[in-house]
Amino acid sequence: MNDQVSKFQELGRLMQERGLEMIIALMILIAGLFLTKWAIKALKTVLAKFIKNAATVSIIANSVGVLMLGIVIVASAMEIGAKPGPLIALIMIVVLAVIGVIVVFRPLIPTLPFKVGNTVKIVDLLGKVEATTILNTRVRTFDGKTFFVPNRQILDGIVINYHFTRTRRVKLDVTIRYDQDLLKAKQVIEAVMTEDSRILTKPAPQVYVLELGLNGVKLGGRCWVNNAKYWVTKCELQEKTKLRFDAESIKFAYPQMNVYHRNDLETNHRQENSPEVF
Amino acid sequence: MKLAEGLKRISEGWIIKPKGYRVRFQQLVEGELVTEYSPGLEDKPLDSDVTTWRYAWKLSKATQPESETILPGDLVNVTVVDDKDTMVNYYATGKPEIFNSKKK
C-alpha cells in the first residue's frame, strides 16, 4: 500500500516538474502521427500519377512514412528531455535489427504468389489483386465485387497468376458439317488468326482436325497472344470466324438426329420386296 | 529450299500484320474535303481492327450527312486504315468498306 502511495507521489512530483513538457510531447506525438498518415496518403495520390506500379508507390510512401514517424518520435522524446544522440542510435539499432531479421528469415516466410495489380484466379474468384495485408488479400472481380480472401486459404489452395507468363494460348474450336469444304474452313480459321495483329508469329497459328464427331468435323485453331490481350482477342477471333464463315458460305454443325417414321420404314420395306411388274 | 527459308517467305509474303489501326475520314474545311485520322497520326493507333471498325461505324452514324450535299461537321468516306495508311478489309466480309461514302 505504501509502495503504491509513494509511486503516486512520485508521479505527482514528476507531473509538477515536467507536466507541461510531457503534454507538449504528447501533442507533438499525436499531431505527428496524424501528419504522417495524411502525408502518406497524399504522397500515394501524387506518386500514382507518375508511377504506374502500385506496389512501388506503396513502398516509397510507406518508407517516407516510417522516416517521418521516426522524426516525430525523436522530436517528442527530445521535448521531455531525452538526448537526440542516444535516441537516434537506439532507433537505428532497432531498424537494422528488423531489416536483418527480415533478410535472414525471408526465405522461410511464406509469400503470396502474386503482386498487387496482378490478375489472378483464387478460390474460383477471377479478378485483380488490389491490396495484400498480413491477414488477407483484397481481390476485385471483373463484375465489380470486392472480396477479402484469407491468406491462409490462398496459401493452401491453387492460385492461377495470369501475369506469371507473358503469353497465353487461344483456343478457337468450331464444328462444321460433314458436307462442308474442310480445307476451305481450315484456311479461313488460319487466315483469321494470322491476320490479327495481336496474334504472335512464333509459335505460328495452327489448325487441327480435332474430332470426327457425331454432328460434324471439329476443328481447333491454336494461336498465342500476350496475356493482357487474351480475353478481347479470343472474343474477337470468334466473332471474325463466325462472320468469315458466313461470308464464305461455310455451314456450322449443330446437334441433330435423323428420325425415321415406322410407316415410312414399312412402305420402303414393302416396295423393296414387292415383285417387279413388267 | 530449307524449311526455315520457306517459313520466312510465308511470313514476308502472306502474314501482313499491321502495327495498328486508325479511322480515316474526310470533312469539309473551308470548302475543301480534308482527310483526317482518329486516333491522330501522332497518337498511338488502336490494336484491334474489330474495335476500330466499330468505332468507325459509330462515328459515321453520329455524323451522317442528312442531305446530299456535305455540310460542315459531316464526316464522310469513313473507313479503317492500318499504320501504313492502307485500307483494311472489313473483317465481317473480307472486302473494303466505306461508311458515309460521298464525293464532293
Side-chain angles (χ1 to χ4, degrees):
Chain A
M1 187 70 184
N2 284 339
D3 279 354
Q4 283 180 342
V5 170
S6 64
K7 276 181 186 173
F8 275 116
Q9 282 173 346
E10 199 176 332
L11 187 67
R13 198 169 51 249
L14 193 69
M15 286 299 286
Q16 274 181 341
E17 287 173 4
R18 299 219 159 184
L20 188 63
E21 290 160 351
M22 283 172 78
I23 289 167
I24 293 171
L26 193 66
M27 282 170 71
I28 289 172
L29 193 67
I30 292 167
L33 288 175
F34 275 113
L35 188 72
T36 306
K37 199 175 175 184
W38 177 82
I40 292 171
K41 204 174 172 183
L43 192 65
K44 275 183 182 175
T45 313
V46 172
L47 287 174
K49 290 175 184 170
F50 302 104
I51 302 168
K52 282 189 177 177
N53 193 335
T56 312
V57 171
S58 186
I59 288 168
I60 294 171
N62 288 337
S63 303
V64 172
V66 168
L67 197 69
M68 283 181 73
L69 196 65
I71 292 168
V72 166
I73 291 168
V74 169
S76 178
M78 278 170 68
E79 188 57 36
I80 51 170
K83 288 178 182 174
L87 205 65
I88 290 170
L90 182 71
I91 288 174
M92 287 298 287
I93 289 166
V94 170
V95 168
L96 287 173
V98 169
I99 291 170
V101 167
I102 289 170
V103 168
V104 170
F105 290 103
R106 183 159 172 77
L108 303 175
I109 300 167
T111 51
L112 297 170
F114 45 72
K115 291 175 183 171
V116 172
N118 284 180
T119 300
V120 293
K121 192 171 185 184
I122 309 168
V123 208
D124 292 334
L125 292 174
L126 181 65
K128 200 166 251 189
V129 177
E130 283 195 332
T132 53
T133 64
I134 296 170
L135 292 176
N136 56 41
T137 295
R138 196 170 83 216
V139 179
R140 189 177 165 84
T141 55
F142 291 112
D143 58 351
K145 292 176 199 155
T146 301
F147 289 83
F148 294 85
V149 186
N151 290 345
R152 180 177 36 82
Q153 213 168 340
I154 294 168
L155 292 168
D156 286 345
I158 293 171
V159 175
I160 301 174
N161 186 344
Y162 293 100
H163 284 254
F164 213 76
T165 46
R166 197 177 63 83
T167 57
R168 190 171 171 193
R169 193 179 70 172
V170 179
K171 282 170 75 176
L172 191 63
D173 291 351
V174 292
T175 308
I176 59 166
R177 278 170 25 182
Y178 273 103
D179 58 355
Q180 299 300 297
D181 190 338
L182 172 65
L183 293 178
K184 191 175 171 186
K186 278 183 76 175
Q187 283 166 7
V188 169
I189 296 170
E190 194 168 353
V192 163
M193 293 189 296
T194 306
E195 285 164 13
D196 195 295
S197 60
R198 294 159 295 187
I199 301 300
L200 303 175
T201 48
K202 284 179 185 173
Q206 299 285 345
V207 185
Y208 303 100
V209 177
L210 295 178
E211 188 184 348
L212 300 175
L214 287 173
N215 305 305
V217 183
K218 190 177 177 184
L219 302 174
R222 300 286 183 269
C223 55
W224 288 79
V225 67
N226 279 337
N227 229 328
K229 295 177 181 176
Y230 170 80
W231 179 249
V232 177
T233 309
K234 182 184 165 72
C235 294
E236 290 185 0
L237 284 179
Q238 286 178 156
E239 182 184 345
K240 282 182 189 177
T241 306
K242 165 73 174 77
L243 292 166
R244 287 288 282 277
F245 269 36
D246 290 348
E248 299 283 348
S249 304
I250 301 169
K251 300 278 186 291
F252 287 96
Y254 50 87
Q256 56 183 302
M257 185 184 287
N258 292 337
V259 179
Y260 296 95
H261 198 267
R262 188 175 173 80
N263 289 347
D264 293 341
L265 286 173
E266 284 173 357
T267 311
N268 290 339
H269 184 71
R270 272 203 299 273
Q271 281 173 353
E272 283 168 11
N273 294 328
S274 60
E276 291 180 14
V277 180
F278 298 97
Chain B
M1 187 193 293
K2 287 188 176 178
L3 186 64
E5 196 185 335
L7 292 172
K8 194 183 168 192
R9 280 202 180 185
I10 290 168
S11 66
E12 285 171 358
W14 182 47
I15 303 167
I16 302 153
K17 279 190 185 292
K19 287 176 184 163
Y21 304 92
R22 288 187 173 88
V23 176
R24 187 174 71 190
F25 56 90
Q26 290 183 310
Q27 64 176 337
L28 215 54
V29 178
E30 294 173 358
E32 289 292 319
L33 271 180
V34 176
T35 303
E36 290 182 33
Y37 300 87
S38 180
L41 292 172
E42 67 283 356
D43 298 324
K44 195 182 168 191
L46 299 170
D47 67 350
S48 157
D49 57 333
V50 175
T51 307
T52 316
W53 273 110
R54 290 298 296 168
Y55 175 46
W57 180 77
K58 286 175 190 173
L59 209 58
S60 70
K61 284 285 166 194
T63 59
Q64 205 163 22
E66 289 177 358
S67 60
E68 281 300 307
T69 52
I70 306 165
L71 298 171
D74 291 344
L75 302 189
V76 296
N77 301 324
V78 183
T79 191
V80 173
V81 292
D82 63 13
D83 55 307
K84 290 173 184 165
D85 201 19
T86 310
M87 265 184 78
V88 175
N89 287 342
Y90 188 32
Y91 70 95
T93 57
K95 291 172 186 165
E97 179 75 52
I98 297 173
F99 302 125
N100 294 351
S101 179
K102 293 256 184 204
K103 283 180 184 171
K104 199 193 167 198

